[in-house]
Amino acid sequence: MTAPSPYSYADIADLATIAPIAIHGRIHKTAVLKPEQAAGLKAGRARLYVEADVISLIRGSGPLAARVNYLVDLPLDAKGKPPKLKKKQPVLIFARPVAGSAPGTSNTGSIRLVAPDAQLPWDAATEATLRAILTEAVKPGAPPAITGIANGFHVPGTLPGEGETQLFLDTKTGEPVSLTILTAADGSRRWAAAFGEIVDGSAAVPPRDTLAWYRLACGLPRTLPLAKLAGTAPEDRKKAAADYAVVLGALGECTRTRAPLTGS
């Protein structure tokens, strides 16, 4: 039985969704940079120059050298010493090309990590999650990154207690995403997310640890900005906020063990 990944779905999705290059590599050699060579290095970390052999290119276009080099910032060990990466240690590398480099034309190709620490120890479960995320991400109509609430409204239903809230979201790509929350007369609620032009109140709720779940759980603001509900009566704004809280509760926490990345 494969051991579970030490990283959460969001940890991996943060890196996978912004990295144009994802590599399963094997450490060839490393060297620790001197402090004066490591501008901007955070306290408690060391900056390493790494050369790694490419086992497989999980994501990327165009030629890539069989051995790549890059800089990575990693935590110091318990003794305050730079970590030691063993030769042939397997890693996952999330990177982008370096401007002006020509991968594939020599024995090494320079790349730049998408975050200072965007090198993870490889394990089968983490790679499997990474591949699943990338498979979803390249499908037509893949859920885009959510950047906020654009606008919305709440309208009462025909029976006492009934109501409907619709919220339209801002996305990084400009593609439409909306939330619909329906309240029945008995106070029960059901909601759906629509990724596309059609607002479909019967659409399925995104299962946890899918790209749609990640976009919502990790991209939605923690409270509904009521100013976005222009033209909605104050009492109906409160109902919309309660409906929104139901959505957040159903999605659950966007659990991370790493700091979130900007642009993910």
Side-chain angles (χ1 to χ4, degrees), residues 15-109:
L15 295 166
T17 54
I18 68 168
I21 299 172
I23 297 168
H24 175 195
R26 183 186 292 118
I27 299 296
H28 175 68
K29 70 176 182 179
T30 65
V32 180
L33 272 62
K34 296 178 181 178
E36 59 269 22
Q37 297 173 308
L41 181 66
K42 292 183 178 180
R45 291 181 173 262
R47 183 164 296 165
L48 282 69
Y49 168 83
V50 179
E51 289 186 8
D53 294 320
V54 176
I55 298 174
S56 64
L57 180 61
I58 300 173
R59 181 183 193 181
S61 59
L64 186 71
R67 182 172 296 161
V68 294
N69 63 74
Y70 53 91
L71 300 176
V72 62
D73 294 356
L74 297 176
L76 300 176
D77 64 19
K79 297 181 179 180
K81 302 291 185 180
K84 293 183 178 179
L85 299 177
K86 296 180 180 179
K87 188 170 183 177
K88 297 187 177 181
Q89 177 180 333
V91 290
L92 288 170
I93 304 160
F94 300 86
R96 54 176 57 94
V98 174
S101 66
T105 60
S106 64
N107 292 330
T108 60

Side-chain angles (χ1 to χ4, degrees), residues 68-256:
V68 294
N69 63 74
Y70 53 91
L71 300 176
V72 62
D73 294 356
L74 297 176
L76 300 176
D77 64 19
K79 297 181 179 180
K81 302 291 185 180
K84 293 183 178 179
L85 299 177
K86 296 180 180 179
K87 188 170 183 177
K88 297 187 177 181
Q89 177 180 333
V91 290
L92 288 170
I93 304 160
F94 300 86
R96 54 176 57 94
V98 174
S101 66
T105 60
S106 64
N107 292 330
T108 60
S110 294
I111 55 175
R112 186 185 304 276
L113 300 188
V114 296
D117 60 347
Q119 170 196 280
L120 305 181
W122 178 91
D123 66 82
T126 300
E127 181 176 337
T129 300
L130 169 60
R131 288 185 180 275
I133 292 168
L134 294 177
T135 297
E136 283 197 79
V138 299
K139 288 181 178 178
I146 292 165
T147 57
I149 307 290
N151 54 72
F153 61 86
H154 176 89
V155 292
T158 55
L159 297 176
E162 286 185 341
E164 177 179 348
T165 296
Q166 285 196 8
L167 301 171
F168 302 93
L169 311 183
D170 285 320
T171 64
K172 187 176 180 181
T173 60
E175 297 172 82
V177 177
S178 61
L179 300 173
T180 301
I181 307 100
L182 300 173
T183 304
D186 63 2
S188 62
R189 291 183 177 93
R190 60 184 177 88
W191 68 274
F195 294 87
E197 295 285 354
I198 300 175
V199 178
D200 184 2
S202 65
V205 173
R208 188 177 179 88
D209 292 354
T210 61
L211 189 58
W213 170 85
Y214 164 75
R215 293 304 198 191
L216 294 171
C218 304
L220 289 172
R222 294 299 90 190
T223 57
L224 180 64
L226 298 182
K228 298 291 186 178
L229 278 64
T232 300
E235 187 62 29
D236 289 334
R237 291 189 186 195
K238 292 180 181 178
K239 292 178 180 178
D243 287 345
Y244 185 71
V246 168
V247 173
L248 294 183
L251 289 167
E253 290 294 322
C254 172
T255 305
R256 289 183 169 102

